[in-house]
Amino acid sequence: MSDRFGSVTMKLDDSGAAWEVACSRCPWGTEELLETGFDGYLGVENYSLVESLAQDHSDRHS
């Protein structure tokens, strides 16, 4: 499963248990979220939170 929000793609990782995000316009993505303390929030059950982070980041490029 994957979704796209402007420049940000959100998809399930290989285990199917967590979300991976990546921006096509800058280096922002999963690694940056992990470094800023969001590691506990990337689980598959937190779709709406990760979607919000992805949408907010994409809006910065608008």
Side-chain angles (χ1 to χ4, degrees):
M1 174 178 181
S2 68
D3 288 317
R4 185 164 191 85
F5 305 97
S7 61
V8 179
T9 300
M10 177 178 155
K11 68 176 185 161
L12 286 175
D13 68 5
D14 292 338
S15 72
W19 294 105
E20 291 181 342
V21 292
C23 181
S24 63
R25 298 183 69 184
C26 75
W28 183 87
T30 302
E31 290 298 317
E32 287 71 23
L33 289 173
L34 293 175
E35 290 173 6
T36 56
F38 280 96
D39 52 319
Y41 300 98
L42 294 177
V44 68
E45 70 279 1
N46 293 323
Y47 178 88
S48 60
L49 172 65
V50 180
E51 174 190 30
S52 178
L53 292 168
Q55 187 66 55
D56 288 349
H57 181 81
S58 180
D59 289 348
R60 293 183 198 167
H61 290 296
S62 299

